[in-house]
Amino acid sequence: MQLEELRRIAESVGEREGWDFSRIRDYTEPAPWDYMDVVRRYLHPSYHVLDVGTGGGEKFLELAPRFGTGIGIDIEPQMIEVAERNRSAAQVENVSFRPMRAEVLDFPDGTFDMALNRHSVVQVAEVVRVLKPGGLFITQQVGGRNTQSIFTAFGWGSNGDFYRRVWEQEGSAPQDTASLADQFTALGHTTVARGEYDVRQYFLDVESLVFWLKAVPLPEDFDIERHWQGVNRIIKDYGTDRGIETNEHRELLIARKQA
C-alpha cells in the first residue's frame, strides 16, 4: 500500500479512548480461559474489590453486578476521567475511580476481599497489604511472545524484551506471572492457579492493524510517516485468507493471601 493510503487509514481509525479496543475487527482462536469468566467465578455479592490499572474501567464496570462495592485505580488522571464517563453512561453506582499509583496504594491494611489486575503494573507487597486475610488476587498479563510477527516485522525483538527494558528503566519488579508468583510465595502466601496460552490471532483488515499499532505501548511510538513500510511488510509477510496473522500470548495468576 502507498503511504498516502496508509496515512488516510491512520487518520480515519481515530484514537483509543481509555482501553476500549472495540473498533478492532479480529478473530482469535479459542483459548483455555477468558479473563472475565475466570474473575466472575471467584466474585461474591458481598465483596469489596480493587481493580489496579483499571484504564477506562471498561472491564471493571462489566463485572460490577457480581460484587458489592469496588474501586478502580489508574496512574493516569485522563484514564480516570474516561472511567468516570463510562461509569455514568453505564449507570453503575457501586464503583468509584481514583488516580493512584500501583506502587503506593492509598488504602488501609486489609481493605479488600479481592484485587484484580489486567495487563498493568502491580506491586505484590502492596496488594498483599490491602487484601483481607484469605483475600484473592487475580491478574492476567500480556506474555513475552505476544504479537511476535509484528515485533519481527519491525525488528523490535519481542514483547518480552521490550517490557524487560521498561521494568529495568523504571526500577520495577518483573511483571510476568512466574515472577509475581515467586513474590507471593516469598511473602508466605499461596498460588492458587497459573496458566498460559499462545494462540493465533488475525486482524481482519488493515484498519484494525493500524488502530492496534496506534493504541498499544510499543518500543517506538507508532507514526505512519516513519513506519508505513513496516506496515506493508506485515501485510506482505503475514497476510492470509483469514486475515493478517499474529498471535495472542497471555499469562494468568491467581494467588491467595494467607488467612
Side-chain angles (χ1 to χ4, degrees):
M1 301 180 74
Q2 297 300 313
L3 172 58
E4 183 176 347
E5 184 176 4
L6 286 171
R7 186 187 291 128
R8 178 190 59 76
I9 289 172
E11 292 173 355
S12 70
V13 298
E15 305 296 329
R16 186 199 75 217
E17 184 171 270
W19 282 105
D20 179 6
F21 289 86
S22 61
R23 279 178 280 177
I24 290 178
R25 296 180 65 248
D26 65 345
Y27 169 74
T28 303
E29 292 185 339
W33 77 80
D34 174 81
Y35 170 80
M36 298 292 280
D37 290 341
V38 171
V39 173
R40 288 187 186 101
R41 287 190 215 120
Y42 287 92
L43 285 172
H44 188 275
S46 68
Y47 278 4
H48 187 38
V49 182
L50 174 66
D51 190 30
V52 180
T54 196
E58 296 88 358
K59 300 295 184 184
F60 199 39
L61 291 168
E62 190 175 335
L63 293 167
R66 296 296 190 102
F67 56 76
T69 54
I71 300 174
I73 67 163
D74 199 281
I75 192 172
E76 297 183 23
Q78 300 92 330
M79 285 288 187
I80 296 301
E81 292 174 6
V82 173
E84 286 291 356
R85 290 199 298 271
N86 289 337
R87 185 195 64 77
S88 178
Q91 298 182 324
V92 173
E93 301 296 333
N94 63 330
V95 168
S96 62
F97 295 100
R98 303 183 193 177
M100 192 180 301
R101 294 176 61 236
E103 295 82 358
V104 185
L105 299 176
D106 189 18
F107 302 108
D109 297 356
T111 298
F112 299 97
D113 299 283
M114 183 183 290
L116 306 175
N117 171 257
R118 179 179 177 274
H119 305 179
S120 181
V121 171
V122 66
Q123 217 282 346
V124 168
E126 278 293 274
V127 166
V128 168
R129 182 184 65 78
V130 301
L131 278 175
K132 297 176 182 178
L136 277 173
F137 169 68
I138 301 177
T139 185
Q140 177 176 280
Q141 294 290 336
V142 176
R145 298 187 302 276
N146 193 61
T147 57
Q148 187 57 55
S149 62
I150 295 172
F151 275 76
T152 298
F154 282 110
W156 288 336
S158 71
N159 187 68
D161 297 334
F162 167 49
Y163 273 102
R164 277 188 288 274
R165 291 193 298 271
V166 170
W167 299 332
E168 289 174 4
Q169 291 167 4
E170 296 180 350
S172 301
Q175 298 291 302
D176 60 283
T177 56
S179 298
L180 295 175
D182 287 345
Q183 293 173 55
F184 271 95
T185 300
L187 292 171
H189 308 291
T190 305
T191 295
V192 175
R194 281 184 56 200
E196 179 180 8
Y197 70 75
D198 191 341
V199 298
R200 283 190 287 267
Q201 177 188 16
Y202 299 88
F203 293 104
L204 301 185
D205 48 45
V206 176
E207 287 80 0
S208 296
L209 170 65
V210 171
F211 179 86
W212 185 90
L213 288 165
K214 291 177 63 177
V216 302
L218 293 169
E220 300 174 10
D221 290 338
F222 181 75
D223 178 84
I224 198 64
E225 308 291 330
R226 180 181 178 189
H227 294 111
W228 70 278
Q229 291 176 319
V231 174
N232 275 331
R233 194 175 305 120
I234 294 167
I235 296 168
K236 175 179 178 293
D237 292 348
Y238 301 103
T240 73
D241 291 342
R242 303 181 72 181
I244 301 166
E245 182 177 342
T246 186
N247 68 300
E248 181 175 278
H249 183 201
R250 297 290 185 267
E251 300 178 349
L252 180 74
L253 170 65
I254 305 173
R256 187 182 298 276
K257 181 175 178 178
Q258 185 177 14

